[in-house]
């Protein structure tokens, strides 16, 4: 009798859950590029505990995903998230398209030193994981400022020390922005010296190349050389060919990448799937010599009629042949602090508003006027769809948004911040068949994870951290457009970060499980 009572109590006592979360009936795309298979994924604490055709063990919570894709959470290797992550620590625009890890410090620009900023990020209750690169431009600016000259041997020693400290603090590598001031004033040899230090700590080099337009091919050679002579993995950020005259150069770029890889140089690329880029109007359309030494000096130069005339010729050339896309209508304003009514309008509109004919010459005048007024960020429609497809298909290309964390509804940011990953899946996988689903997921997960030497993320496998995106491949799509960018992507049903559900039923949850990730020099 006593025996039966015990057995009865045991039966009545709920069994302790073996798992915290169980995803059932998924189409598992594991990140490696292997074909999908049907299965369940069980999560315990912050990690994947089991994957099997059917898991019946008790779980605190079970979600039936009804045949949707279960993929690793996406890793965005190139973002400008630090502008917005402290205002919008949920990073809704990214999480709602399956992104669970953001990499910051790109294009040669990072906080410096890194440690205090990493501490701020640690203290922030945030949804996605975040990691940092150290920016070569920031390092150079700290030591030399923004003047155009070679570094002295003493200055190079100071730069090396800054890079070394950043790698010890947890940077994933060195980013360069050789297109921007002051990166553009750096000789390749100086970059190589700094890259060697990053490489010694297990880091990589990534570059916003010196020129993405007429001198694109020379710049690709330079990026490869930095990896080859710096003895570290090297990477072309947001690979593209800007300006009609340069369309098609992606073919030569990828040939150089293949040749380099064949001789043992570890070079890779990332890309966003849009025919427009985004940066400041000053960086895009003004010559670097005009901007040398900072804003006050640029304004002084523009006041001198002869210097202004010289600059204008170069601005005209950039509108005609480079980021201007051949037409002032192809330059759109994202955010203009001095006149928000210009947000979303074009350089042609702004020229018209100043009572001038919309010629390229007048547009160049307007562009210089905008710099004098305090500047705008812009969207530059100057990339060909053919180049996008060709670069996207290349096996060494991964996906990176180059986006930011916008404040919903504010300004007119490039739609890439809201749509990059969903757009690849909707347009380039489902509609255009440029990539298979499995290959697209690989480019968003296992590939960037391997690049960053993140050995515990990017693949669905027991023991890996449970960063997971669940979506319907038949409905996934980006909605953000150039004229109406503040629209979240659709098709994602559940997003999980470090084992916690952060997005479901069309809404962000209250969980903030995001972690700061550290590079190999600190690990
Ligand atoms: Zn860039």
């Amino acid at each position: 009798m006593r025996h039966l009572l015990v057995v009865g109590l045991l039966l009545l006592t709920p069994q302790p859950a073996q798992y915290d979360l169980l995803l059932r009936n998924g189409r598992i795309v594991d990140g490696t590029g292997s074909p999908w298979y049907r299965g369940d994924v069980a999560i315990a604490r912050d990690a994947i505990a089991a994957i099997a055709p059917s898991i019946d063990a008790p779980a605190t919570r079970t979600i039936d995903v009804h045949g949707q894709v279960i993929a690793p959470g996406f890793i965005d290797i190139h973002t400008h998230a630090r502008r917005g992550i402290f205002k919008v620590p949920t990073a809704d625009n990214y999480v709602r398209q399956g992104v669970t890890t953001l990499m910051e410090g790109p294009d040669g620009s990072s906080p410096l030193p890194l440690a205090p900023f990493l501490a701020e990020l640690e203290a922030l209750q945030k949804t996605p994981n975040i990691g940092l690169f150290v920016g070569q431009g920031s390092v150079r600016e700290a030591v030399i400022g923004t003047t155009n000259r070679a570094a002295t041997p003493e200055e190079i020693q100071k730069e090396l020390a800054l890079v070394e400290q950043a790698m010890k603090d947890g940077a994933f590598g060195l980013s360069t922005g050789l297109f921007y001031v002051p990166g553009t004033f750096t000789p390749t040899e100086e970059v190589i010296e700094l890259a060697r230090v990053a490489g010694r700590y297990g880091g990589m080099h990534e570059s916003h190349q010196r020129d993405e337009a007429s001198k694109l091919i020379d710049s690709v050679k330079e990026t490869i050389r930095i990896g080859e002579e710096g003895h570290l993995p090297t990477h072309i950020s947001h690979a593209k060919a800007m300006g009609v005259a340069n369309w098609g150069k992606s073919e030569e770029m990828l040939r150089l990448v293949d040749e380099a890889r064949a001789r043992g140089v570890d070079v890779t690329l990332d890309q966003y799937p849009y025919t427009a880029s985004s940066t400041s109007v000053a960086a895009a359309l003004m010559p670097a010599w005009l901007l040398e030494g900072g804003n006050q000096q640029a304004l002084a130069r523009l006041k001198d009629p002869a210097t202004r005339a010289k600059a204008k010729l170069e601005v005209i050339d950039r509108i005609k042949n480079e980021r201007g896309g051949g037409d002032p209508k192809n330059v759109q304003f994202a955010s203009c602090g001095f006149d928000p009514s210009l947000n979303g309008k074009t350089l042609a509109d702004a020229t018209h508003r100043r009572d001038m004919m919309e010629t390229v010459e007048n547009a160049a005048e307007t562009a210089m006027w905008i710099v004098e007024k305090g500047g705008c960020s812009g969207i530059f429609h100057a990339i060909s769809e053919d180049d996008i497809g060709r670069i996207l298909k290349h096996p060494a290309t991964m996906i990176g948004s180059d986006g930011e964390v916008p404040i919903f509804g504010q300004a007119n940011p490039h739609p890439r911040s809201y749509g990059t990953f969903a757009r690849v899946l909707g347009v380039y996988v489902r509609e255009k068949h440029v990539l298979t689903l499995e290959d697209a997921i690989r480019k968003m997960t296992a590939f960037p994870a391997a690049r960053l030497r993140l050995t515990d993320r990017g693949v669905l496998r027991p023991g890996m951290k449970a960063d997971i995106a669940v979506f319907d491949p038949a409905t996934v799509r980006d909605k953000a457009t150039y004229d109406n960018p503040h629209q979240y992507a659709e098709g994602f049903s559940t997003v999980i970060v470090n084992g916690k559900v952060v997005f479901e039923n069309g809404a962000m949850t209250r969980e903030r499980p995001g972690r700061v990730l550290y590079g190999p020099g600190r690990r």
Side-chain angles (χ1 to χ4, degrees):
M1 186 65 196
R2 192 128 124 243
H3 236 81
L4 278 176
L5 195 67
V6 172
V7 171
L9 278 174
L10 273 177
L11 285 175
L12 286 174
T13 316
Q15 276 179 283
Q18 188 176 346
Y19 301 122
D20 296 312
L21 183 58
L22 180 57
L23 303 177
R24 301 212 62 175
N25 302 314
R27 240 191 264 180
I28 295 174
V29 179
D30 69 6
T32 64
S34 297
W36 66 266
Y37 59 95
R38 280 191 200 286
D40 298 351
V41 177
I43 295 162
R45 291 176 299 280
D46 67 348
I48 297 171
I51 301 178
S54 181
I55 298 174
D56 291 315
T60 307
R61 193 177 165 207
T62 299
I63 301 172
D64 189 330
V65 306
H66 298 291
Q68 290 179 90
V69 167
I70 302 177
F74 305 152
I75 297 167
D76 192 335
I77 196 163
H78 191 109
T79 82
H80 298 272
R82 76 174 183 264
R83 293 175 196 151
I85 193 75
F86 290 94
K87 287 182 179 142
V88 188
T90 43
D92 307 30
N93 60 304
Y94 280 118
V95 172
R96 284 166 175 264
Q97 48 175 327
V99 177
T100 54
T101 295
L102 304 171
M103 292 303 300
E104 239 289 0
D107 300 340
S109 167
S110 73
L112 203 72
L114 235 48
F117 186 76
L118 286 164
E120 273 179 66
L121 280 177
E122 283 283 4
L124 182 71
Q125 304 272 302
K126 61 212 163 287
T127 300
N129 305 308
I130 187 160
L132 289 178
F133 288 93
V134 57
Q136 179 268 335
S138 303
V139 167
R140 196 174 213 267
E141 187 164 353
V143 175
I144 304 176
T146 56
T147 44
N148 182 7
R149 65 170 174 83
T152 65
E154 295 75 41
E155 286 167 339
I156 289 189
Q157 288 311 313
K158 282 186 192 160
E159 291 182 346
L160 291 171
L162 287 173
V163 173
E164 181 162 23
Q165 187 57 52
M167 291 307 295
K168 285 181 181 165
D169 289 344
F172 282 78
L174 180 74
S175 82
T176 52
L178 303 181
F179 170 72
Y180 293 105
V181 172
T184 189
F185 302 137
T186 318
T188 313
E189 293 72 17
E190 184 180 324
V191 178
I192 291 169
E193 285 205 56
L194 301 188
R196 277 201 196 109
V197 176
R200 224 186 296 134
Y201 284 88
M204 62 179 281
H205 164 249
E206 64 154 23
S207 186
H208 180 138
Q209 302 191 105
R210 206 176 280 277
D211 193 313
E212 296 177 319
S214 60
K215 297 188 192 74
L216 171 64
I217 297 306
D218 288 341
S219 300
V220 172
K221 288 176 183 164
E222 181 182 34
T223 304
I224 291 169
R225 185 184 159 203
I226 292 166
E228 195 158 23
E229 295 181 22
H231 308 294
L232 84 173
T234 189
H235 180 90
I236 298 170
S237 297
H238 40 64
K240 58 168 110 56
M242 299 287 298
V244 184
N246 304 302
W247 289 1
K249 284 185 181 172
S250 60
E251 218 164 324
E252 172 80 351
M253 167 164 63
L254 295 172
R255 195 180 59 74
L256 288 168
V257 167
D258 286 335
E259 281 177 10
R261 294 191 62 83
R263 67 172 187 271
V265 187
D266 182 358
V267 52
T268 52
L269 319 89
D270 71 59
Q271 181 191 31
Y272 51 78
Y274 291 91
T275 52
S277 66
S278 182
T279 189
S280 73
V281 168
L285 299 181
M286 302 297 131
W289 61 258
L290 184 79
L291 307 174
E292 187 191 346
N295 206 32
Q296 290 312 312
Q297 293 200 37
L299 296 183
R301 287 183 191 111
L302 283 172
K303 282 208 177 74
D304 174 63
T307 314
R308 190 184 184 94
K310 184 180 163 219
K312 184 173 171 181
L313 288 178
E314 294 192 39
V315 177
I316 289 170
D317 181 61
R318 282 162 185 245
I319 294 173
K320 279 187 178 160
N321 302 314
E322 303 203 342
R323 275 182 165 69
D327 188 328
K329 287 191 182 68
N330 286 332
V331 176
Q332 192 179 3
F333 303 116
S335 177
C336 295
F338 72 91
D339 181 5
S341 77
L342 282 172
N343 298 349
K345 298 282 187 295
T346 70
L347 184 56
D349 298 331
T351 305
H352 184 79
R353 274 198 198 179
R354 297 178 70 227
D355 293 324
M356 298 196 289
M357 297 264 293
E358 296 166 23
T359 62
V360 172
E361 287 72 18
N362 289 342
E365 268 301 333
T366 300
M368 292 190 292
W369 171 80
I370 280 167
V371 171
E372 289 175 312
K373 284 296 204 178
C376 305
S377 58
I379 298 168
F380 305 89
H381 298 264
I383 302 170
S384 91
E385 195 62 52
D386 284 351
D387 284 327
I388 290 179
R390 191 177 295 121
I391 295 167
L392 192 57
K393 258 194 276 204
H394 194 280
T397 302
M398 57 193 84
I399 311 303
S401 70
D402 199 10
E404 59 195 26
V405 177
I407 294 170
F408 193 85
Q410 210 168 90
N412 196 83
H414 192 298
R416 64 195 183 188
S417 296
Y418 286 94
T420 290
F421 291 80
R423 184 170 176 79
V424 169
L425 295 169
V427 175
Y428 293 89
V429 174
R430 186 178 61 239
E431 290 172 16
K432 295 190 174 180
H433 305 288
V434 174
L435 300 175
T436 65
L437 176 64
E438 289 85 350
D439 199 30
I441 299 289
R442 178 187 70 84
K443 289 168 178 285
M444 301 170 177
T445 59
F447 189 23
R451 197 64 177 147
L452 296 162
R453 302 181 60 188
L454 282 174
T455 51
D456 57 354
R457 296 177 200 272
V459 176
L460 295 181
R461 189 180 289 152
M464 303 291 268
K465 294 288 180 235
D467 292 347
I468 290 174
V470 180
F471 66 93
D472 181 351
T475 61
V476 63
R477 67 177 185 127
D478 64 303
K479 291 185 73 185
T481 62
Y482 295 107
D483 295 323
N484 192 3
H486 295 284
Q487 301 190 73
Y488 295 121
E490 286 183 349
F492 290 80
S493 61
T494 307
V495 179
I496 298 166
V497 176
N498 295 313
K500 302 284 186 219
V501 175
V502 295
F503 173 79
E504 65 180 339
N505 304 322
M508 304 292 291
T509 69
R510 300 170 74 89
E511 301 283 359
R512 303 282 185 276
R515 293 182 191 156
V516 176
L517 305 183
Y518 293 93
R522 164 146 168 182
R523 266 183 264 143

